[in-house]
Amino acid sequence: VPGKFYLNAGVYAQTANAERSATALKAAKLPVLRQTVSSNKGEMTRLRIGPYDTRAQADKAAAQAKLLNFEPSVFQQPQK
């Protein structure tokens, strides 16, 4: 969603690893988005957390994800 904040939670080559991570994030009540992306290594699954209306909300979610051993990065979807 343009203008919203998201967190990059990880990119996975193996679907099972992506599913395990998504399950952990959902258990922590974090909204998870899955995207299939192509890379030079083949199809990958990208997990994102969000969307959030404010940077503060995204930062709070990032702190929660860090407790689950994720290293999320916050970004804002560009306005179109």
Side-chain angles (χ1 to χ4, degrees):
V1 177
K4 300 287 185 173
F5 291 88
Y6 294 85
L7 289 79
N8 284 318
V11 179
Y12 301 87
Q14 302 210 351
T15 305
N17 292 338
E19 289 301 317
R20 261 192 301 280
S21 292
T23 298
L25 292 167
K26 285 180 183 178
K29 306 277 192 254
L30 293 169
V32 179
L33 300 170
R34 286 181 192 83
Q35 295 175 308
T36 301
V37 294
S38 296
S39 77
N40 59 353
K41 296 179 182 178
E43 296 264 312
M44 309 281 272
T45 302
R46 176 171 45 207
L47 294 183
R48 290 189 166 161
I49 303 167
Y52 295 98
D53 292 325
T54 67
R55 174 74 188 224
Q57 290 171 327
D59 287 340
K60 184 177 178 184
Q64 241 185 310
K66 284 180 183 180
L67 294 174
L68 300 171
N69 296 318
F70 288 89
E71 290 297 326
S73 59
V74 177
F75 72 96
Q76 186 173 20
Q77 187 69 30
Q79 298 278 354
K80 292 188 179 184

